[in-house]
Every structure is written in C-alpha cells, then in structure tokens.
Amino acid sequence: MENKDNKQTPKGINNFSKFSVIYLLLGILMFYMYQSYFTTQKTTISYSQFKKLVSENRVIKCTLSDRYIKGVYKGKDGKNKEFITVSVKDPNLVKDLEAHKVNFSGTVTNTWLTNLIFGWVLPFGFLFFLWWIMTKKMRGTSGGLFGFGKSRFKVYLNEKPDVKFSDVAGAEEAKQEIEEVVEYLKDPKRYQRLGGRAPKGVLLVGAPGTGKTLLAKATAGEAGTPFISISGSEFVEMFVGVGASRVRDLFNEAKKLSPCIVFIDEIDAIGKSRALNSMSSNDEREQTLNQLLAEMDGFDSSVGVIIMAATNRPEVLDPALLRPGRFDRQIIVDKPDVNGREAILKVHIKKIKLGNDVDVKTLAQMTPGLVGADLANIVNEAALLAARENKDAVHMEHFEEAIERQLAGLKKKNRVIKEDEKRRVAYHESGHAIIAYLLPGADPVHKISIVPRGLSALGYTQQLPTDEKYLITKEDMLDKVAVLFGGRAAEEIVFHTVSTGAQNDLMRATDIVRAVVTQFGMDEKIGLVVVEKPGATRFLTSEGIMKEKDDISEKTKELIDEEISKIMQNSYEKAKQILLENKDKLEKLAKMLLEKEIINEEELKLIMEEDEDGKD
Ligand code: ADP
Ligand code: ZN
C-alpha cells in the first residue's frame, strides 16, 4: 500500500522524481542514438588502412576534405561499405588515388556551423529541454515545489488534494468544527454576506500522527481549494536571515491562489512564547513570528486564505498567536479510542485484500494508545508480511505480527503504556467518577477516559458544572475534595499501594482545602478570619516567599496546617468509605473502562443505576 499522504514524501515530490527519471532515461537514449548515428554508422578506419585499401584497389570512391576522408570501399565479403578516416597531410594522396583510378572529389568543409550545432546548440538545447521539463513538473498541477529561485524554501503546493473527510476516520468532533471552514472556502464572499464571521486561523492541537495534516488536507479537498504547506522548523532552520521575507513570499503566493489553505506544521518552532526564552533571545525566530502576526492581521477575511497550523505543544505558543483574528479557533485532535481506531483501520484496510479471518474490532483492542499514523503503518506492514509469504490476502497473523513490531518500536520511544499501568489508571479514574456521581456537591461526570494524552496525564475524568454557581457551600467544596481523593483511594483499595499518578489531584485538593480554611472563614477553629487574600500566590510574590503569611502569628500558622491536614484526612477517609461501599461498581466501571477506554455520562449512569436494581 502506498502511503500517499505521508509527510516525508509529499505527493508532488514523488511525482516529480518519477517524471524526471523517465525523461532522463529518454534523454540518454536520444543522446546515445545521436552519437551512434553520427559517429559509428560508418566504419572508422585508420589512415594507413585507408592507404592499404587504395593500394589494393578496393576504394570505389571518396570525398576529400581538410579534416576527413569519406568514401565507399569494397569489403572482404564483396559488399560496399562506407568508411571515414581522418585526413592526414599527405602530398602523395592525390597521385595514389589517380594511380588506382579512384573516383574522388574534394570539398571544403565549413565546420564551424556543424561544430556549433552539434557541439553547442544540440547539447545545450537538450539540457535546457530537460530543465524545462523538470521545472514545469515542479510548477505543475500535480503539486511540488514552487517559488523556485524566489523564496528558496520548501513549500509544497497541492492543487486540490484528493483527500476527503471520509479519509479521516474517528475525528468526528474535529471534522464538525472544521465544516465551517469548508463552507467559507467554497465561497468566501457569499459566506460573509450571509453574516458568518469568517475564520482566519485554525490551530489543530494533538499528538504527532493523530492526523492533523491529513485533516487540513481534507479540508482543502472538501472545499476544492489549493493546499500550501510548510513546516515551522523549515522556516527557521533553512536559511538564516530570511525567515521574515519567506513569510511575506508565502502570503503573497497564497493570496494569488486564494481561496486556499496555508498549512504550517510544527508552528511551535516559530511561535514559541517570547517570554519562555527571554534569556536566549532568538532574533531570527522573533522576526519570523512578528512577520507572521503582521501578515495575519494584514489581510481581511474576504481574501479567502485560511491559515491552519498544527502543534502538539499549545502551551508553549506565544499568546499573541492565539488572539482574536489570528489562531482564534483551536481544534483538539485527540488520540483515537477503540472505536476511532477501528474506524481508522477500516479506512486503511480498504486499500488491501483482506482474509476473512480478520476481525478489525479485535485489532483495535490490541492497539491502545496508538495513533492514526501507527495504525496506517501496521496495515502497511501486515500487507508486506503477507506479500513476502506469497499469500493472496492479508490475514490476522500478519496483523498480529505487524502490531507486535509496531509496539516494539514504540516501546523504545517510551510511548506504550504497560498493561498493569493501564489497569491502575482505569481504577483511579473510576474512583474519581464514582464519587463525583454519588456526591451532590460535585460536578457531574461528562467523560472518563484512559486514552493517554501527552506525557503526564494517563487518563482523566472530565466534569462539567451543571450551571454556573456563584455561591459554593462548604459542603460542595468538601465534596469536590473527596472526588479528587477518589483516584488515590481506589488505588489503595484495589492495589493496596498508591502511585505518583495522584500527585496533581493532591495539589488541587490542598488548594481547595486551604481556601476553605484561610479565605472563606469556613473553619470552626480558625474562625471568621481571612488569613490569606484570595488569589494571592502562596509560593512566590514579587517581594519574596509567602509574604501574605508574615503578619500571621506562628500559632495561627500551626493551627492552619493542622486544620488543613485534618480536613484532608477526613475527606480521604470519606472517599475511601464510599468506594468500599461501592466496590462492585468500582470493579465494573474499571473493567468497562479497560475495554472501551472512554465512557460517557449515560454509560456511567447505566452502571451506577443498574447495580442498585440488582441489589434490591
Ligand atoms: P500529524 O499531522 O498529526 O502528525 P498526519 O496527518 O501526518 O499526522 O498523519 C499521518 C498519517 O497517518 C496520515 O497520512 C494517515 O495515513 C494516517 N492517519 C492519521 N490519522 C488518521 C485518521 N484519523 N484517519 C485515517 N488515517 C489517519
Ligand atoms: Zn486522579
């Protein structure tokens, strides 16, 4: 299976090299024929051979010039053959020829013209022809490099990519959000007349290989517009001192092609926050970034150019990039869950011949944490394995082998979570979810996931507040703390040990409890005193550490710490108690989570309610 959309081999480049090889071969062939026609069709003989032929009376006729002698002689087999030989200053030649009655004539060769044509015009014409073919291909409609010789950087232009949304599987939310961009690109002016606020910049956020490039390409494909892509690192790395001018060139080109999509991959390479590396200021990158911002502000949205950018580290981006009128739309392209992986596998499997023992669902279950690019690789690899064995279809064993290889490769890069880790994460998140479900003060659970995101979070429980509350009671706050402890408590109940996975939970819980005690006057012992100003950072202020607490007596400080740890301990016990009472639900939820990886609100409700019915 050919992976057309792979970043490393842009489509245009592929075509380009294929074509140039064909033309090169053709050219070499032509050159060879040209050479052989003019030089080897006649027998080249030496002058002495020629004289010998004359003396043997075998030369029938010849033409003399100051550079060569051409003619016809009788071969050994009696047939007439043409010959050519280099002319030598020989005063006896004419005498010899007359003596042997050779019919001869002389010509004055005007060699400069033939020299010019064969020595210069033809070879150069030929080279020019080759160059013309190449550059034409490069500029051609099938894609390739453009701005050749002008902006001197690699931009891949893909005139109307043939990728469609149907080629992007399992990213339904992202596709829905991007639909608007497609509508806009189809007819920018009409879109604006109808009152839509035209999009300008769209930031795709997600791990490598999740299909961000593919999605951007599909957006162009759906709208039927050209797709210009460049990588952020190329902007900065290739030539020093021209980053800004390259941005200008890029936008000029884009405006000419509009409506179109400009896709900047790895935008963090140029868009890194200026605050983050104020120590080592990088002028080159800063100028490039400033130019990009200026260009984005510079054109109004009726121009019909959409800038799409991809990153897997949105947190390092300069906030200026995210302001209104720039990349103000951010679309998360998540790692796929089981169903997503199944859908992606199905897209890629279409291109190969499948044995009837292949169960795509099982394959999806075997590949947790893998992204679209990994899955595409697996299908490719499986097809290769089958081909090597001369099978006429790809079978389950090939897929299993391919998955094993892919996982082994990823293990080296530390990208695979181990099975026991996954189990721990499942129980941890289930713990959060069950307590959030049962305690009235906690926000309802929207989604529980054990699909790893990034490096730190192995799973998450997403809660959404039902409606905005302006007043939160102490009970509500303590319920929230219990939810945060749910993960750790579940780990303790099931595994009898706790892991570092609860660290973030602990920090958030501490923050809430501290606020309860010190800011809201909700603690009996501390009383109705605000000992810390709300919003003050406890750790660092401009003047030093913990300034706020300096006017508090030592005794109060101790009391605060005591109260905090008491409330924390109580909350933890409460969480643990609830989970112990609902251990069957914990088991059930964790098992389901391990299987499905993502559980939504309704599914959680089903588990929680169903069990209750069973007991009664
Ligand atoms: P990213 O830009 O996020 O690093 P790419 O778009 O380059 O990822 O994805 C690389 C390849 O992986 C794609 O060309 C495609 O073959 C495959 N792929 C990734 N995500 C998907 C998906 N959702 N559906 C189908 N194929 C996918
Ligand atoms: Zn947690």
Side-chain angles (χ1 to χ4, degrees), residues 401-472:
E401 167 91 32
I403 289 173
E404 231 159 72
R405 288 185 186 195
Q406 186 73 17
L407 289 179
L410 295 177
K411 234 171 231 147
K412 280 193 205 134
K413 295 183 211 149
N414 270 330
R415 265 191 47 207
V416 178
I417 15 155
K418 293 195 212 81
E419 201 53 39
D420 53 338
E421 265 174 353
K422 200 174 151 190
R423 235 168 78 79
R424 189 181 275 276
V425 175
Y427 279 98
H428 179 108
E429 298 305 331
S430 299
H432 284 309
I434 287 175
I435 296 190
Y437 186 87
L438 292 175
L439 289 183
D443 294 322
V445 175
H446 177 62
K447 188 165 144 190
I448 321 165
S449 160
I450 56 165
V451 181
R453 292 175 135 186
L455 287 175
S456 51
L458 292 172
Y460 60 93
T461 300
Q462 189 183 19
Q463 293 168 270
L464 291 181
T466 26
D467 42 28
E468 285 199 17
K469 283 185 189 167
Y470 295 100
L471 289 171
I472 308 175

Side-chain angles (χ1 to χ4, degrees), residues 170-408:
E172 299 311 320
E173 277 178 47
K175 278 194 265 185
Q176 246 167 37
E177 284 186 69
I178 268 182
E179 186 59 43
E180 196 186 356
V181 175
V182 175
E183 283 310 310
Y184 167 71
L185 282 174
K186 276 185 183 158
D187 190 353
K189 298 222 167 65
R190 195 184 81 103
Y191 184 90
Q192 280 200 308
R193 265 204 315 280
L194 297 179
R197 192 177 76 88
K200 201 186 241 180
V202 178
L203 187 66
L204 300 171
V205 178
T210 45
K212 299 183 292 296
T213 312
L214 190 68
L215 195 60
K217 230 181 240 176
T219 312
E222 289 284 336
T225 61
F227 180 76
I228 306 173
S229 70
I230 184 168
S231 150
S233 53
E234 274 169 15
F235 257 121
V236 186
E237 275 161 21
M238 279 181 58
F239 291 90
V240 181
V242 290
S245 78
R246 269 183 259 146
V247 174
R248 220 173 301 127
D249 289 348
L250 178 67
F251 274 80
N252 285 339
E253 212 64 49
K255 278 177 217 162
K256 272 185 236 157
L257 287 167
S258 87
C260 70
I261 286 182
V262 175
F263 178 68
I264 307 175
D265 204 357
E266 300 172 57
I267 193 165
D268 34 289
I270 20 175
K272 217 177 271 165
S273 170
R274 284 168 284 198
L276 276 183
N277 46 337
S278 52
M279 305 285 264
S280 63
S281 101
N282 182 340
D283 277 352
E284 168 72 4
R285 220 206 25 243
E286 201 155 304
Q287 276 174 16
T288 310
L289 174 59
N290 283 337
Q291 187 65 37
L292 178 66
L293 296 176
E295 291 287 349
M296 284 192 83
D297 294 341
F299 67 85
D300 74 278
S301 43
S302 61
V303 173
V305 177
I306 296 276
I307 320 291
M308 292 180 90
T311 181
N312 61 334
R313 300 186 306 164
E315 68 281 356
V316 304
L317 287 185
D318 198 300
L321 273 172
L322 308 177
R323 270 187 216 132
R326 294 169 183 168
F327 292 103
D328 48 5
R329 294 184 196 206
Q330 285 138 38
I331 296 179
I332 310 270
V333 188
D334 255 336
K335 283 191 181 177
D337 63 351
V338 175
N339 295 329
R341 290 199 300 271
E342 191 181 337
I344 294 173
L345 282 168
K346 277 183 179 151
V347 165
H348 291 279
I349 273 171
K350 259 189 229 148
K351 300 167 200 162
I352 61 174
K353 196 160 181 306
L354 219 54
N356 42 18
D357 62 332
V358 176
D359 179 16
V360 186
K361 203 174 218 91
T362 311
L363 293 177
Q365 277 161 355
M366 287 165 75
T367 48
L370 298 200
V371 295
D374 302 329
L375 298 171
N377 269 345
I378 286 173
V379 175
N380 198 11
E381 181 83 27
L384 285 178
L385 286 169
R388 210 168 294 155
E389 290 177 17
N390 272 331
K391 296 273 158 62
D392 41 276
V394 188
H395 293 281
M396 204 63 179
E397 47 174 341
H398 304 123
F399 279 106
E400 276 159 14
E401 167 91 32
I403 289 173
E404 231 159 72
R405 288 185 186 195
Q406 186 73 17
L407 289 179

